[in-house]
Amino acid sequence: MVGLRRYPAPVEVAAQGERLAADLGRWLTEVTFVDLDTDEVTARVIDSVVRWAEAQGWRVYRRAPSVLPLPPPLQQRHSVLDVACARPDGPPVVVEVDHTDRARTVQKLRAEADAGRIPIWVRWGVGRFTVPPPPVRMVTVEVTRRAGPAGRGRLHSRLGDRPAPAHSTGGGTVTPQALPIPSTDPASGRAEDAGKGT
């Protein structure tokens, strides 16, 4: 029929999901920060996801409506997605970014997958990430944390894997210099007093 959009077969969509999650994971390795609170880290990661999607040439939407309604008594309204991407050559990609292991996020992303979208869950934290069931793909961003000043809660940092500084390869030259040796002659002062101030 004319006008119907045909997406790839489920097996091909699953392979695309794996490839896109791996690509996003590589992109997020460049994200670094020091002493951000939970909301600031989430916003930083979302911004990086948006830049990744824009670099692919996709149309990107923040806080896009999800197909999943909110729980009662708000079931007339829908949840929102952190990032939704419209692609000209394949099904849309949706991304959620979370600090905690939220069952609601998995439910939302599985509903998006049932609607024909590729779901990616970006989890950030100190580790111990629980892998979600397929077809949701997980990308992880590991951070360190410490107690912050009063009123700020925990602060998170991610310095990344920076290469060691390059060492010089050329052989340098050193010119030896003669250093004065203190005299032990009583007439000129005791050796242990040499170099001391008054």
Side-chain angles (χ1 to χ4, degrees):
M1 293 179 60
V2 177
L4 286 180
R5 174 174 287 190
R6 298 181 60 83
Y7 289 132
V11 173
E12 187 178 338
V13 170
Q16 283 188 31
E18 290 282 356
R19 179 181 57 80
L20 291 170
D23 187 60
L24 177 57
R26 287 187 292 271
W27 180 278
L28 292 177
T29 60
E30 302 299 319
V31 176
T32 58
F33 46 84
V34 176
D35 286 349
L36 298 184
D37 65 27
T38 300
D39 291 341
E40 291 170 332
V41 175
T42 299
R44 179 74 58 94
V45 174
I46 289 173
D47 287 345
S48 189
V49 171
V50 167
R51 287 192 297 273
W52 167 74
E54 289 173 341
Q56 317 305 314
W58 303 338
R59 289 197 316 275
V60 182
Y61 305 92
R62 293 174 185 254
R63 297 193 58 76
S66 169
V67 297
L68 186 69
L70 290 170
L74 302 173
Q75 63 268 29
Q76 301 306 315
R77 299 173 62 184
H78 283 256
S79 296
V80 295
L81 298 156
D82 289 323
V83 182
C85 312
R87 303 189 301 155
D89 56 351
V93 175
V94 295
V95 182
E96 282 285 281
V97 177
D98 283 314
H99 172 51
T100 56
D101 191 5
R102 300 180 64 227
R104 175 75 178 173
T105 296
V106 175
Q107 183 184 10
K108 184 193 306 186
L109 290 174
R110 293 190 76 174
E112 294 295 323
D114 291 342
R117 293 156 188 164
I118 295 176
I120 300 175
W121 190 16
V122 177
R123 282 285 318 279
W124 69 267
V126 295
R128 301 182 299 277
F129 303 110
T130 303
V131 178
V136 178
R137 306 293 178 213
M138 177 178 281
V139 174
T140 60
V141 177
E142 291 202 38
V143 303
T144 59
R145 70 182 175 202
R146 69 176 184 87
R152 286 207 70 192
R154 290 179 173 170
L155 299 180
H156 311 275
S157 297
R158 189 166 194 267
L159 301 179
D161 297 326
R162 297 184 179 177
H167 294 284
S168 59
T169 56
T173 58
V174 176
T175 304
Q177 295 183 353
L179 297 175
I181 298 175
S183 172
T184 57
D185 182 354
S188 59
R190 295 184 316 176
E192 55 267 29
D193 291 336
K196 289 185 179 179
T198 56

